[in-house]
Structure formats: C-alpha cells, structure tokens
Amino acid sequence: MTYQTKPTSNQPVVRVLGLTGSLRSQSVNRALMSAAHELKPDDMQIMDHAGLDQLPYFNEDVETEGDPTTVQALKSALHSVDALLIVTPEYNSGVPAVLKNAIDWASRGASLLKEMPVALMSASPSPMGGQRAQLQFRQTLTGIGAHVLPAPDILIGSAPQRFDADLRLSDEPTRKLVARHLVRLRDWTLALGALRLHLKEAA
C-alpha cells in the first residue's frame, strides 16, 4: 500500500479515540499521546478517553445487570470514532491492567472493536521501548477481530531522553516517526473503510 503524506481536498476527517495505559500525570506515555495530538495530520481528530481507572474489573455478573455508566461511556466513545490509538507503557513485561480491562469490556456483546483499525505506540525507559506489551496487545486485538496497523512499530526506547523538561517530545527523528505513524493510521483506516464498502456493495 502506498501511504499518502498529505490529505486530498475531498478526504473525510478520520476520528480516532485515544487510550493511554498510564494513569500517572507525568508519564512519558501520556506525553506521547500529547505529541500525537500535535503531530497528527490535518484531517484527523484525536479524542482522548479519560476515566479508564473508573471502569470496574470485568465481571460477567456485573455485565448481566447492565453495563455500568463508565462502561457505557467507553462504548459510546468507541461507537463514535473510525479508529483507535493505544499508547501504552510496559508493566512487568506486559500490558497494563487498566488497558486490558478496557479492552475486555469493549469486546463484549456486539464488539465495537471487531474490524476496528488500531494503531499502537509505546514509550519506555528501557531500550526495548515497550515491545513486549505491544506483542501482547497485538495478540489480544487480533483475537477479537481488530485490524492492527502493521509494522513498523513505534517503540520509543530510552524515552526520558527524548522529551524535554516540559514533557514535550523534542527528539526530531522520533517526532517524524510518530507523524508518519499517524498518517499510516489515517490511510489504513480509509483503505479498510473503502474495502468494507466494496464488499458490502458486491454482496
């Protein structure tokens, strides 16, 4: 696939929901999501979803009684967008519980994640940049039918060195990688949407 670097005049705006796996206010992964807002293409909107820490642990008994309001809010947010951007730290060589819990809730019933275009980014003090967390997430998301953006991956290792004192992403090569990743997400989303429309018309 050839990825466009500039929007065309009649290209629709791609709406993206942003989920961040770190709850810490000074997290480099929260700073990375902020950088995504700054570096996204003009025809993309990113809406951050706060409150993942307010979701109850997934429990089918709770689900049977009806989704809690925080779960309803998450599902409503997913229903209103075209794609998902997940920015995640790596905890103990894996996925943060708060993000996995959100995905578990969102995958239930008429899963809003099935066929959803998803892009992953991660930042870590380690040189690996959160690779193991991303691998776990790819397995989970693929298993529920989401379309995860193929490699190259955004794995920001030695992350504190790439942000300034105000937690702004200041490393220029990394900024270019993030900007390109978001263009790829835009084009991946539009391409999948066109394919779904073609298949529907051909049916």
Side-chain angles (χ1 to χ4, degrees):
M1 181 186 298
T2 300
Y3 294 102
Q4 301 174 1
T5 56
K6 295 181 179 179
T8 59
S9 59
N10 60 349
Q11 194 160 285
V13 172
V14 173
R15 299 161 300 170
V16 178
L17 186 68
L19 299 182
T20 305
S22 177
L23 303 178
R24 186 167 64 91
S25 60
Q26 298 299 301
S27 162
V28 290
N29 282 279
R30 286 195 169 277
L32 181 55
M33 182 65 82
S34 295
H37 282 269
E38 180 186 355
L39 298 169
K40 65 179 176 56
D42 291 340
D43 53 355
M44 175 182 283
Q45 295 177 350
I46 301 177
M47 290 75 71
D48 291 335
H49 186 76
L52 294 188
D53 57 333
Q54 301 302 312
L55 294 172
Y57 290 121
F58 175 73
N59 182 332
E60 286 192 47
D61 291 339
V62 174
E63 183 185 38
T64 299
E65 297 298 320
D67 286 343
T69 55
T70 51
V71 174
Q72 293 177 30
L74 173 62
K75 290 185 175 182
S76 177
L78 283 166
H79 186 73
S80 69
V81 298
D82 307 302
L84 179 62
L85 174 63
I86 295 175
V87 179
T88 181
E90 181 177 289
Y91 291 166
N92 296 321
S93 302
V95 174
V98 68
L99 266 180
K100 181 59 166 60
N101 187 49
I103 297 303
D104 288 343
W105 275 112
S107 68
R108 298 292 294 180
S111 174
L112 295 168
L113 296 174
K114 187 176 182 181
E115 299 186 351
M116 172 78 77
V118 182
L120 300 172
M121 299 197 298
S122 57
S124 172
S126 82
M128 294 180 67
Q131 182 181 48
R132 290 165 295 194
Q134 284 207 29
L135 286 173
Q136 285 189 8
F137 247 133
R138 282 186 177 276
Q139 182 179 20
T140 296
L141 291 165
T142 300
I144 58 181
H147 296 308
V148 185
L149 185 66
D153 302 322
I154 299 298
L155 300 162
I156 303 178
S158 304
Q161 302 172 25
R162 302 178 192 273
F163 294 82
D164 64 20
D166 296 319
L167 283 180
R168 180 178 181 272
L169 182 61
S170 55
D171 182 70
E172 193 58 35
T174 305
R175 289 174 63 84
K176 290 179 179 178
L177 288 173
V178 171
R180 190 177 303 127
H181 197 62
L182 295 171
V183 169
R184 292 180 63 232
L185 174 60
R186 179 197 68 192
D187 293 342
W188 176 247
T189 302
L190 293 173
L192 289 172
L195 177 60
R196 284 194 295 269
L197 180 60
H198 173 74
L199 293 175
K200 182 178 179 180
E201 292 176 344

